[in-house]
Amino acid sequence: MSDNAAAPGPPRPPGMLRIGSIGGVDVLVSTSWFLVAALISFLVSPRIEAAEPGLGVWKYVAGAVFAVVLYSSILLHEASHALMARRYGYPVSSITLHFLGGMTAVEGEARRPRHEFLIAVVGPLTSLAVGGAALALWFVYHEGLLGMAIVGLAVSNLLIGVLNLIPGLPLDGGRLLKSAVWKATGNVHRGTIVAGWGGRLTAVAVIAWPLVLVLGFSARPNLIDYLLVFVMAMFLWTGATAAMSHARLRQRLPSLVARPLARRTLTVPEDLPLAEAVRRAQEVDAGSIVTVTSGGTPMGIVNEAAVLATPEERRPWLATSMVARRIEDGLTLSADLAGEELVVAISRRPAEEYLLVEDDGTIHGVLTTADVDRAFREAGH
C-alpha cells in the first residue's frame, strides 16, 4: 500500500478514513469497521483464552489484531476486483472496508458480459486462494494462538469465497448470473433483473436460517445471531432492489435524446433591454434566449424563472444579461448527446439550462433539466 499525495481525489463521504492506496485506488475504512472489529475481538476472545490461557485483557487485543488480519484478506478480495476492472479500462474511484466486508467502486457499467464475469469472479477466487493457503499452512503449524488465527483465517476466507458465489445481487455470484443471462439473451437489463431476484430470494433464505437451525438441528440462536441475520438480509434485499431499480431506469435512458428536447432559441445582444428580448422571443415563438457578444459568441442563458420574477415595468430598463447565467465550463453540451452520456453530462455540472451546440460550434438550442425530467418520466409510462 502506498500513499499518493500528487493530486487530491474526489471528496470522501462522511465517516470514511483514507488509509492509503493500491495501484492508485484510494483505500477507505468506514468508521463502522471499528464497531465490527470490537465485535470480532469480543466473539473470538473465548477461543483465544482457550488457545493461550492467562492473557487477561490482552486476549481482546489479540482479537483486534485478528480482525485486522481478516480485513486485510478482504482487502485482497476487493483489490482483485479493482485491478481486473482497471485492466479492462474501467476507472475505480475507491475501495471501502465497512461493517459487512468491502466494496469496490467501479465507475460505469461493464461493456461486455465477459468483463462483468471476470471482474466479479476474481474476488471469490482470491478469497478461496487465501483460504486454501491458510488451510495448507494450518497443516504445517496448528498449535497455540497462531494456529487458532490460521484456522480462523482459513475458515473465514473459504466461507467468504463460497458465499460470494451465491447467484444473487449484490453478491459477486449475482454478477456472474447477470453476465450469464446477459450473454444468453443479449440484454444486460434482463440479466440484472434476474440476478436481483436471486438476491431477494437469498435474503429470504438468510432471514429464515435461524428457523432452520431451531427446527432442523435443535439449535438455539442467540441475540447476536438474530441481529447478524437481520443485517445481512437487509443488506441483500436493499442491494438487490437498488440494482433492479437502476436496471429499470437504464432501460429508459436510450429514449432520452438531447436534440429533440432542445427549446428553440433566440440570440440577442447582452445589452438589449429585457422587454425587447422577451418581445422578440414571443414573436418568433422561441422557448429560450441566449445573450451573445457583438461577434456572436454565446455568453449567457436567460433564466426563465428570473424573467418571470422581474416586474414588467422594470424590464425596459434592465439589460438582458442581468437575468442570464453566464455560460461556464460544463454548460455547453453537444446536441448529439443521448442516453447515459446525456445523464452523466448533466450530473457532472448540475444546472437549470444548458446550451446545445452542433459539431461546428453553432447554437442548436437550449436544454432545460425540467424538460429532461419530463421526458424521462414520460418514457416510463
Side-chain angles (χ1 to χ4, degrees):
M1 228 181 290
S2 62
D3 284 325
N4 183 3
R12 294 193 295 272
M16 295 291 177
L17 304 174
R18 182 180 181 274
I19 61 172
S21 65
I22 296 178
V25 178
D26 283 349
V27 178
L28 310 177
V29 175
S30 168
T31 51
S32 67
W33 178 85
F34 296 96
L35 176 62
V36 76
L39 180 61
I40 291 173
S41 177
F42 174 76
L43 291 176
V44 302
S45 60
R47 293 182 178 272
I48 293 174
E49 180 69 26
E52 198 75 34
L55 284 177
V57 72
W58 288 101
K59 65 185 178 183
Y60 298 109
V61 176
V65 171
F66 175 73
V68 172
V69 173
L70 174 60
Y71 267 79
S72 296
S73 66
I74 293 174
L75 178 58
L76 288 177
H77 175 117
E78 297 301 328
S80 65
H81 286 311
L83 295 176
M84 184 63 75
R86 294 187 65 176
R87 177 183 176 185
Y88 286 107
Y90 299 97
V92 180
S93 57
S94 64
I95 296 172
T96 303
L97 300 178
H98 53 72
F99 184 87
L100 289 174
M103 179 187 70
T104 302
V106 181
E107 298 179 10
E109 294 288 329
R111 296 182 292 271
R112 299 178 183 175
R114 180 171 177 268
H115 294 178
E116 183 80 24
F117 178 87
L118 291 174
I119 294 172
V121 77
V122 71
L125 291 181
T126 299
S127 293
L128 292 174
V130 172
L135 185 61
L137 184 60
W138 180 81
F139 283 106
V140 177
Y141 189 91
H142 55 268
E143 296 179 355
L145 190 58
L146 182 58
M148 188 222 76
I150 291 172
V151 73
L153 190 64
V155 171
S156 58
N157 274 276
L158 291 173
L159 192 61
I160 289 170
V162 171
L163 291 180
N164 264 279
L165 291 174
I166 294 175
L169 290 172
L171 299 173
D172 292 328
R175 296 175 62 191
L176 299 181
L177 175 59
K178 171 186 172 182
S179 67
V181 175
W182 181 5
K183 179 70 173 179
T185 65
N187 190 321
V188 60
H189 307 302
R190 186 172 300 165
T192 303
I193 297 298
V194 171
W197 277 111
R200 285 181 167 183
L201 291 174
T202 303
V204 172
V206 168
I207 208 73
W209 180 244
L211 184 62
V212 174
L213 291 177
V214 171
L215 298 180
F217 300 94
S218 300
R220 292 189 177 182
N222 57 37
L223 180 60
I224 293 179
D225 293 330
Y226 283 112
L227 179 61
L228 289 176
V229 161
F230 175 76
V231 171
M232 289 186 65
M234 287 298 296
F235 167 74
L236 290 168
W237 184 274
T238 55
T241 301
M244 295 167 73
S245 299
H246 185 62
R248 293 190 179 103
L249 288 175
R250 288 177 62 84
Q251 281 182 303
R252 291 149 58 181
L253 286 180
S255 62
L256 287 181
V257 182
R259 187 177 294 276
L261 292 176
R263 295 186 178 185
R264 186 176 182 182
T265 299
L266 172 72
T267 59
V268 300
E270 291 184 282
D271 58 355
L272 186 73
L274 179 58
E276 177 61 15
V278 171
R279 186 194 69 77
R280 293 184 186 180
Q282 292 173 341
E283 191 174 73
V284 297
D285 197 26
S288 60
I289 301 172
V290 171
T291 60
V292 297
T293 63
S294 57
T297 302
M299 295 300 295
I301 303 174
V302 173
N303 184 274
E304 184 177 6
V307 173
L308 295 176
T310 304
E312 291 192 16
E313 60 271 18
R314 287 193 58 204
R315 293 179 184 179
W317 316 105
L318 192 68
T320 304
S321 60
M322 297 300 293
V323 292
R325 176 173 182 172
R326 186 161 294 277
I327 301 175
E328 302 167 346
D329 290 343
L331 297 184
T332 300
L333 306 178
S334 169
D336 294 324
L337 283 178
E340 186 172 359
E341 289 185 349
L342 174 59
V343 174
V344 169
I346 292 176
S347 302
R348 189 180 295 122
R349 186 67 167 83
E352 294 182 10
E353 299 100 359
Y354 299 85
L355 183 68
L356 296 185
V357 297
E358 303 290 356
D359 292 339
D360 60 2
T362 58
I363 297 174
H364 173 76
V366 168
L367 178 71
T368 69
T369 52
D371 291 342
V372 173
D373 290 341
R374 188 180 303 110
F376 189 74
R377 289 195 300 271
E378 290 173 354
H381 298 308

